[in-house]
Amino acid sequence: MTTADPIWHLVNQRIFDVSPIGILVVRADGTIAHANQAACRLFGYAPHEWAHLTVEDLLPPEAREQHVRHRATYMTAPRTRPMGINLDLEALRKDGTRFPVEIALSHTELNGERVVLAFISDIRARKAAEEARERYAQRLRTLYEIEHAVLAAHSPTEVATLALKGAASLLPHADFFVFLFDETRQEAETLATYEGSGTPLPFRAGERISLAHPVEAHTPIAPPLPQQEMRPYLGLPLLVNDTLVGTLNILGAPGTDFGEAEIETLREIAAMLAIAIQQAQLREQLRAYAATLEKRVAERTAQIERRRRIAESLRDLVEALNRGIALHALLARVVEQASRLLHSQAAVIFGYDADQRCLNVLAVHNLPDEVACLQVPAGAGVSGRASQSGEVVVLHDMQQAFEAFLSHTASLSPEARRALREVVDSFQTAVALPLMVEGELFGTLALYFTTHLTLDDEMLALLRTFADQTTLIIENAHLRERVERAAVEAERNRIARDLHDSVTQTLFSASILADVIPRIAERNPDEAWRRLEELRQLTRGALAEMRTLLLELRPQALIEAPVERIFQHLADAAASRGRLHIETHLVPVEMPTDVKVALYRIAQEALNNVIKHAHATHATLALTTQGDTIILQVADNGRGFNPEHVPPTSLGLGIMRERAAAIGALFHVESQPGEGTTVRVHWSPSTPTDA
């Protein structure tokens, strides 16, 4: 290959001299035909020196003989070898220094001669980075192992021994030992040692040593070291809650220089050792509390069990409330549950009469029947005092309470007096709690015990919890009653509105026609007959409206009546109310009750929309079948609308969609401005419903 060759110029000018990596052109015999500038810099040879070199001259002596064989094999079957195949290769500079390289190979023919192109990269920087990463990884592994030991709650000696072994992997041939100080800080214990230098230390693990001077807050001490050649020393404090408890000590090999990375790692190891020591101290404290905790756990378990029983009891009461059980029956259950769960022998719930300023018995458990007739003045007895003070009241002197009660009561029947005397003689303690419902006094819950009861905090908390939950049950019962009353009132108002809007107006129109028809008949018999037909339509419409309202009042009739009959009533009523012609196509068909009710409500809402919004003169109501599919359709010739522009305040379409979705039916609305509206519902028995 000569400088006059065009390929030479291409290689020299466009590739070789601009390449950032070294490129060698090698002949089959190993001689180097050319090297670019990067290769000159990499190996230290001048451009004119390459002509006298072979590729083996660039390798360490021990690798040359083997490389000759590799080169001969490669030339017989050359192939491309890319970079990055993890071959550990070394090259030799002109000055004899070695450096790691990565070599990619390719081959070509130049002027009929097969040559090899070697692309050589100096990877010293990468190797250095890899070694640094490995050192960093080793540091992280060491710290992880120490941290794992700390989290595994090993003893400080075990953690210290592991920590020193890890530190030794960072500083070979160094000696390590850990001192712990006692409270006087004039004596230290050798917690652990590690002899990396092979020279025995003058103290062993577990040995105590005296210090010449007290240890200051954050100052590591210089330990008594053996008399030997000077060695570098590093002492790091072990701090627990900012208090010095010991030191991590390192004796390096002669000539060792502690680097910043090693010092930082050793600081982290010292911090972990301090954590291990703190954990050991905490474990001692935990052991000191163990016996006390066991007793408290047993007591707490019993308390939790009592609370669990109360919660289950109250849950049963709420379920009873949801089943519609009356309030007086619920209160009877409450007093029974209170006696059982709070270990009382009798219980009473009093209701407060604000007008009479007295308490009346609402429910009683395990007391004489005469007690149910008692009327307790506010301030009298345990319940009267609780209602007046709004606080829990405990009485132990039942005789005194009886006499105080008599002083507040004008007269008692002999039967009531005997019943009260029986209560006084049977019980030693009475407890009463006020029951506040919606911020107002509802009454009291009174519990009676045959023993002298000491009301501790736990018992008081249980009593208040039961009282609070009882008031919630009462509030819910009152709320349910109000909701039921409101529902009845709302239904009455709706029926009244329907009567006013439909039947009343229809009958009013009919009465006017009935008054004028005789006078019209005298002048124009044909007009009178037309008016009579209109009167007939009005009365039929009123009858249909009344039948529809009767169906509303008797839901069972809606369920039991044939489907074609109730839909015909619906159409007749709508036609009368809207003064339009409604054509019906109703096929008798059997369907589930929930489907029947849902389709009826959808048709009712659709016809109401026709009357209110469509301005139609004609509408159709159809209930047909196609296979096992039931199809409901309501259509009109009104003004129509754009379904995509329905305002969010319009609830009619949303309600119909929800009813259709509830039975698993498909709901469609077809409408355009000026072209009427069609509402269509498809239901198939194969579609599951919510019934």
Side-chain angles (χ1 to χ4, degrees):
M1 189 165 52
T2 65
T3 58
D5 194 315
I7 296 178
W8 167 262
H9 287 289
L10 177 63
V11 172
N12 185 47
Q13 295 176 9
R14 297 187 181 179
I15 300 177
F16 277 40
D17 289 337
V18 298
S19 175
I21 63 174
I23 303 177
L24 299 179
V25 180
V26 183
R27 298 186 178 92
D29 60 359
T31 58
I32 298 172
H34 186 71
N36 69 347
Q37 293 180 7
C40 294
R41 293 191 299 270
L42 192 61
F43 288 93
Y45 290 101
H48 65 275
E49 295 179 293
W50 291 98
H52 307 291
L53 297 173
T54 66
V55 70
E56 281 76 25
D57 294 328
L58 306 179
L59 301 176
E62 66 274 11
R64 292 172 182 172
E65 182 178 351
Q66 186 179 14
H67 188 267
V68 171
R69 294 194 296 271
H70 286 324
R71 175 169 50 79
T73 301
Y74 180 83
M75 295 304 295
T76 59
R79 63 192 182 283
T80 299
R81 189 180 77 190
M83 292 280 191
I85 58 175
N86 297 324
L87 290 178
D88 292 329
L89 304 176
E90 255 190 339
L92 191 67
R93 289 176 54 84
K94 178 180 178 180
D95 59 8
T97 58
R98 302 184 182 197
F99 63 98
V101 293
E102 193 170 59
I103 301 176
L105 298 179
S106 186
H107 60 91
T108 187
E109 289 190 4
L110 298 178
N111 294 335
E113 179 183 1
R114 178 175 289 175
V115 295
V116 176
L117 299 177
F119 302 87
I120 306 168
S121 295
D122 184 352
I123 60 172
R124 282 177 289 187
R126 192 181 75 190
K127 284 288 186 181
E130 290 175 353
E131 291 173 359
R133 284 197 298 271
E134 178 57 31
R135 288 194 300 271
Y136 183 70
Q138 176 61 33
R139 173 191 173 194
L140 293 181
R141 283 194 294 271
T142 299
L143 294 175
Y144 171 77
E145 291 173 356
I146 297 171
E147 182 180 18
H148 181 73
V150 171
L151 295 177
H154 291 181
S155 68
T157 299
E158 292 174 312
V159 176
T161 301
L162 179 60
L164 297 186
K165 289 181 180 179
S169 66
L170 303 175
L171 293 173
H173 312 301
D175 294 328
F176 301 85
F177 47 97
V178 177
F179 284 153
L180 287 185
F181 306 137
D182 62 11
E183 295 181 357
T184 65
R185 299 191 179 180
Q186 290 185 328
E187 190 177 50
E189 176 189 355
T190 307
L191 184 62
T193 63
Y194 185 87
E195 297 169 350
S197 66
T199 302
L201 291 168
F203 28 76
R204 316 274 4 124
E207 182 180 346
R208 302 188 72 85
I209 62 172
S210 297
L211 306 177
H213 304 285
V215 179
E216 297 180 2
H218 293 79
T219 306
I221 64 166
L225 300 175
Q227 298 297 324
Q228 57 184 23
E229 58 181 321
M230 295 299 296
R231 298 173 61 185
Y233 165 75
L234 178 64
L236 298 171
L238 303 181
L239 298 173
V240 173
N241 295 330
D242 208 32
T243 300
L244 183 68
V245 298
T247 56
L248 169 62
N249 308 278
I250 303 97
L251 278 174
T256 300
D257 184 15
F258 297 116
E260 287 297 326
E262 287 82 2
I263 293 175
E264 182 61 28
T265 302
L266 291 170
R267 284 198 182 100
E268 295 182 17
I269 292 173
M272 292 181 185
L273 281 174
I275 293 173
I277 293 168
Q278 185 181 32
Q279 286 186 335
Q281 295 170 344
L282 292 175
R283 283 195 297 273
E284 289 297 327
Q285 296 175 5
L286 289 175
R287 279 192 291 268
Y289 291 127
T292 303
L293 287 177
E294 286 185 10
K295 181 179 178 181
R296 294 182 62 185
V297 166
E299 294 174 352
R300 187 59 178 166
T301 301
Q303 296 170 2
I304 291 173
E305 178 62 21
R306 287 195 296 271
R307 289 180 181 271
R308 183 190 64 79
R309 291 198 301 268
I310 290 177
E312 289 181 353
S313 173
L314 294 172
R315 182 191 61 196
D316 294 340
L317 292 174
V318 171
E319 290 178 356
L321 174 64
N322 293 333
R323 291 196 300 269
I325 294 179
L327 179 59
H328 67 87
L330 282 175
L331 296 180
R333 291 191 180 191
V334 168
V335 292
E336 181 181 353
Q337 299 274 25
S339 292
R340 181 172 59 85
L341 296 173
L342 300 174
H343 304 292
S344 72
Q345 285 68 52
V348 180
I349 288 182
F350 293 93
Y352 180 66
D353 187 336
D355 295 332
Q356 299 293 328
R357 293 184 55 79
C358 65
L359 296 168
N360 298 310
V361 175
L362 300 180
V364 62
H365 173 69
N366 204 25
L367 287 175
D369 294 339
E370 291 78 7
V371 172
C373 301
L374 285 178
Q375 191 175 71
V376 180
V382 64
S383 293
R385 290 169 57 183
S387 66
Q388 196 172 56
S389 66
E391 300 291 337
V392 177
V393 175
V394 181
L395 288 179
H396 295 295
D397 192 339
M398 300 294 290
Q399 180 62 39
Q400 181 182 2
F402 177 60
E403 294 173 357
F405 176 77
L406 293 178
S407 66
H408 284 80
T409 305
S411 62
L412 278 178
S413 67
E415 294 80 6
R417 185 178 293 271
R418 282 195 298 270
L420 283 178
R421 170 54 62 184
E422 184 178 341
V423 172
V424 170
D425 294 340
S426 301
F427 302 101
Q428 294 188 22
T429 304
V431 179
L433 304 92
L435 301 177
M436 307 298 295
V437 175
E438 298 179 353
E440 300 291 334
L441 178 66
F442 172 82
T444 61
L445 169 63
L447 302 168
Y448 299 89
F449 300 85
T450 57
T451 59
H452 184 88
L453 178 68
T454 301
L455 197 63
D456 58 12
D457 292 341
E458 174 61 23
M459 185 61 179
L460 183 60
L462 287 174
L463 290 171
R464 285 175 173 162
T465 298
F466 196 91
D468 291 343
Q469 297 300 322
T470 300
T471 58
L472 286 177
I473 292 172
I474 296 171
E475 286 180 2
N476 288 337
H478 287 174
L479 179 61
R480 189 191 66 190
E481 292 175 356
R482 287 199 295 270
V483 169
E484 291 174 351
R485 289 196 298 269
V488 171
E489 185 67 22
E491 185 64 13
R492 288 175 177 171
N493 291 336
R494 186 187 67 80
I495 293 173
R497 287 195 303 271
D498 289 346
L499 284 171
H500 178 270
D501 294 342
S502 58
V503 179
T504 302
Q505 293 184 13
T506 302
L507 292 177
F508 178 72
S509 300
S511 66
I512 292 176
L513 282 175
D515 289 341
V516 302
I517 285 174
R519 292 193 296 271
I520 295 175
E522 295 176 356
R523 297 191 306 269
N524 189 346
D526 292 338
E527 177 65 16
W529 282 108
R530 190 181 67 79
R531 294 288 183 157
L532 279 173
E533 177 61 22
E534 184 178 352
L535 176 61
R536 187 177 68 85
Q537 293 294 334
L538 286 173
T539 56
R540 287 183 60 188
L543 180 61
E545 289 282 0
M546 289 299 299
R547 286 171 175 168
T548 302
L549 289 174
L550 288 174
L551 288 175
E552 297 286 338
L553 288 172
R554 296 180 61 246
Q556 192 62 31
L558 176 65
I559 295 172
E560 295 173 352
V563 65
E564 65 274 14
R565 182 187 301 172
I566 62 174
F567 275 83
Q568 187 63 54
H569 289 333
L570 189 63
D572 292 343
S576 174
R577 188 166 64 254
R579 302 293 179 89
L580 76 161
H581 177 67
I582 298 180
E583 182 180 351
T584 58
H585 303 282
L586 304 172
V587 176
V589 59
E590 294 295 328
M591 64 185 74
T593 299
D594 61 329
V595 176
K596 183 179 182 181
V597 173
L599 294 181
Y600 177 83
R601 296 301 185 191
I602 292 173
Q604 186 180 45
E605 184 66 29
L607 290 174
N608 287 338
N609 286 345
V610 172
I611 295 171
K612 293 179 182 178
H613 308 297
H615 299 289
T617 59
H618 182 272
T620 61
L621 171 62
L623 186 68
T624 59
T625 60
Q626 184 175 347
D628 65 346
T629 300
I630 297 174
I631 303 173
L632 169 68
Q633 178 174 301
V634 179
D636 66 73
N637 65 347
R639 60 182 181 178
F641 64 97
N642 188 342
E644 296 181 357
H645 296 161
V646 176
T649 54
S650 178
L651 301 179
L653 287 177
I655 292 173
M656 288 189 283
R657 282 195 179 91
E658 290 175 0
R659 292 189 184 278
I663 60 172
L666 300 177
F667 180 83
H668 302 281
V669 177
E670 299 174 3
S671 183
Q672 291 292 334
E675 297 183 8
T677 301
T678 299
V679 174
R680 190 177 293 109
V681 181
H682 292 248
W683 178 84
S684 173
S686 60
T687 303
T689 72
D690 294 338

